[in-house]
Every structure is written in C-alpha cells, then in structure tokens.
Amino acid sequence: MIPVTAPLNVLKANPLEIVRIASDRPSAAEITSNHGEDIVWGLTQNPKSIPPKYFYDDRGSDLFEQICELPEYYPTRTEAAILAQYAGEIAQITGPSELVELGSGSSSKTRLLLDAYQGLGHPSMYVPIDVSGGILEASAKQLAQEYPGLHIRGLVGTYEQALLHLPPTKFASRVIIFLGSSLGNFTPEECDRFFEEIHIALREEDYFLLGVDLQKPHHILEPAYNDAQGVTAEFNLNMLSHLNWRFGGNFNLNLFSHEAIYNQEASQIEMYLNCHKSHQVRLEKLDFTVQFSAGESILTEISRKFDFAHKQEYLKDRGLKLVKAWTDPKEWFGLLLCQK
C-alpha cells in the first residue's frame, strides 16, 4: 500500500494513496462475490456462465491492455480520438473537478482529460477505481510522476464498493467517468441497478461522462473480439486460470477454446469458452464440483451495442440530463456528458 504523504485537501504537494476497500457492512452482492456464490450459481445454470469481472486478475488486466492496442479492436482508438478532439470542451464545461474513473486500468485515455484540465489551469483530483490492485498501483505511480500537483486516491474494489466509499469532495464539481463501453457488459437489469448507484453517488449538478459502443455491421464487430494474434482468446481462457488460483480449481485450459459471435437480434457480442471433452472440474475452496459435457459452452461476456439516441433517452429517464454528446465521423462510438 502506498501511504498518504499529505492531506487530500491540500492542493500543493502530490499526495498519492491506494486504498483496498473492505466494507464493514457488505451488501448482499458483495458477500456473494467475495465468497464465490456467483461462480457456483453461474456454473449451475443452463447455459453455464461466469461473471466477466473474473477476467480481471493482474494477468487479465495486462491482456486487456494488449487487446486495446490490436488493429481489429476499434473501440479504444475511436473513443480516444473523440476525447482528443473534445477533452478541452469537457474541461471547460465541468470546470475544476474531482475525476472519478470506474474501471480505470492503465488510465491511458484519461490522460487526455488530465491534459485538458491542466491546460486550462484547472486543479483536479483523480480517483481511479479498479478491481486489479496491481495495474491500479502501477498506473497511479506513473501518473504521479507525469502530473505534478495532481492528487490521486486509488480505490481497489468493484464499482459498487467504490461508489459506496467515495469520500466527500472539496471540489465544486465531481465527474464520474465510465469509458470503454464497459456498460455494454451489463445486462439490462444490471444496467438499471448501476445507474441507481451512479445517481446516488452524484450530488446535484455533478457530471457523468459515459462512453458507449454503437451498433454497426457484424463484419466489423466480430473481428474485434476474434483477433488474429489470439490475444482475446488468451484473455478469455485466463478467466479459468483466475478461478483456479482464487478458488483452488483444477480447470484444464487445454480442454476449452475461445469463441465470440455477434447476436444480431440482441445487438450484442457474446463471448464463450467451448468445452471439447466431457470432464469434471473441482473448485476446492467452494466445495463445488461441476460436470462439463463435450460441446458445452460457458458464456463469459456480453458486449451490448447501443443506439445513440435511445441511450440518451435512457439516461434522461434515470435523472441524468444530457449536456453534450459527441461521436466519431463513422458514428462507431459515442461519448455522452450528463449532469444530475
């Protein structure tokens, strides 16, 4: 853990803090997650599933950063191009702000926003949030070197945990940032719950900045999740390695392979691990054994693709009024700035 070197409300030095969230009163969802009941539940369904948060041990986070650099994976570079063009406008609208980023990863795109705030002379504080403590600490240390005077308070935990543990801000404005179209990984029901949590975490006139991947032809979408180098396949299979070390499992990765398809009717990419041989898997720490049949699949992720106009109406219905929306020339990706 990195110690606090100065009070967080002093905007002179460069305090840096990493906090691993441990809730005194965990919610039912946190208890389920921490004890692996969500794994047992998912692997007893038909079809079987594993929550996508189990992608992100330190190895999984590193692999996802590699995915973002792949030529087939358009979302990262498209969203970054939008931010590069409009970050200054975002900084002007929001003014001096505390920036809270959900799923911060390496914070690569966030640098475009930090540069914009710095360019306008706006003081800011950055609160990156990620379930991977390794990548969060590494990126926070790097940002502390790159941005003298920037206060950084990293929170290691889930979105739900972090939103419940946000301390009061000294800034006139707080901007919660959710980039990368991670919203697409939520089912409609999970999406509704997420925005309830966002609404609670925001004060009146605080901002929410959201990146969403937009609907487009399957010949563009499917290669983005089936790259020629096989990095996405490795990322998908690494989920089983994560379960092995976290829950004392004996998944044999050689018995599974990666597949991603576009479900046109649901407007979503679906990522699977396909089993090639009938066998049993034991998760010792969960006292759980599961049978797999040859040809059976595990759903590991959905990535929903949105209609831009419909998403704006959806946010409005949840108490987040649109301030400004931007997209790229091909209208592949959208960025929405809303205010409570």
Side-chain angles (χ1 to χ4, degrees), residues 16 47 62 66-67 89 154 163 185 192 239 265 283 313 329:
L16 173 61
D62 288 341
Q66 294 178 39
I67 289 171
E89 187 175 353
L163 290 171
N185 301 144
D192 291 344
M239 177 183 274
E265 184 177 349
L283 295 168
E313 286 299 314

Side-chain angles (χ1 to χ4, degrees), residues 109-319:
K109 285 176 289 190
T110 314
R111 286 170 168 79
L112 297 166
L113 289 168
L114 294 174
D115 289 342
Y117 282 93
Q118 192 173 72
L120 291 172
H122 290 343
S124 60
M125 177 174 176
Y126 181 47
V127 183
I129 295 164
D130 207 285
V131 293
S132 172
I135 195 167
L136 181 65
E137 184 168 335
S139 62
K141 286 181 177 179
Q142 184 64 36
L143 286 170
Q145 295 176 358
E146 295 176 17
Y147 296 91
L150 176 66
H151 287 230
I152 302 171
R153 188 176 195 264
L155 300 179
V156 181
T158 65
Y159 303 151
E160 180 183 42
Q161 290 171 327
L163 290 171
L164 287 171
H165 288 78
L166 288 177
T169 179
K170 301 294 183 179
F171 287 85
S173 174
R174 169 178 279 162
V175 185
I176 296 182
I177 303 167
F178 198 36
L179 300 177
S181 199
S182 297
L183 186 70
N185 301 144
F186 297 164
T187 65
E189 295 76 19
E190 291 169 338
C191 194
D192 291 344
R193 288 196 299 271
F194 172 74
F195 279 104
E196 289 175 5
E197 294 161 4
I198 290 292
H199 196 268
I200 292 170
L202 293 171
R203 305 167 305 174
E204 291 298 321
E205 300 189 354
D206 278 348
Y207 294 92
F208 180 61
L209 181 64
L210 175 67
V212 289
D213 199 4
L214 304 180
Q215 295 173 5
K216 57 187 69 66
H218 71 88
H219 70 267
I220 298 169
L221 288 166
E222 288 191 351
Y225 297 84
N226 291 290
D227 64 279
Q229 297 178 47
V231 181
T232 309
E234 187 178 354
F235 172 71
N236 201 7
L237 286 162
N238 182 72
M239 177 183 274
L240 303 183
S241 295
H242 184 186
L243 297 188
N244 281 347
W245 72 256
R246 182 174 291 276
F247 297 114
N250 64 344
F251 276 102
N252 182 345
L253 276 60
N254 293 323
L255 299 182
F256 294 86
S257 63
H258 160 79
E259 181 185 27
I261 61 171
Y262 183 56
N263 182 332
Q264 185 79 44
E265 184 177 349
S267 296
Q268 64 188 28
I269 286 284
E270 295 171 358
M271 234 159 62
Y272 295 94
L273 289 170
N274 296 327
C275 176
H276 303 305
K277 180 181 178 181
S278 296
H279 67 289
Q280 281 188 343
V281 170
R282 176 73 177 170
L283 295 168
E284 197 63 43
K285 292 182 181 178
L286 301 180
D287 191 22
F288 175 64
T289 301
V290 57
Q291 180 71 40
F292 287 93
S293 301
E296 190 174 13
S297 297
I298 310 171
L299 177 65
T300 56
E301 182 180 65
I302 62 169
S303 184
R304 296 162 64 209
K305 309 305 173 185
F306 298 104
D307 178 278
F308 206 28
H310 288 170
K311 184 50 61 180
Q312 294 173 41
E313 286 299 314
Y314 175 90
L315 293 170
K316 180 181 177 181
D317 290 343
R318 277 144 190 84

Side-chain angles (χ1 to χ4, degrees), residues 23 25-45 49-51 53-54 158 160-161 190 193 243 246-247 283 285-286:
S23 177
R25 295 182 179 180
S27 67
E30 286 180 59
I31 293 170
T32 298
S33 170
N34 292 340
H35 291 84
E37 282 92 340
D38 51 354
I39 296 295
V40 174
W41 184 89
L43 291 180
T44 53
Q45 302 305 299
S49 65
I50 300 173
K53 66 187 176 188
Y54 289 103
T158 65
E160 180 183 42
Q161 290 171 327
E190 291 169 338
R193 288 196 299 271
L243 297 188
R246 182 174 291 276
F247 297 114
L283 295 168
K285 292 182 181 178
L286 301 180

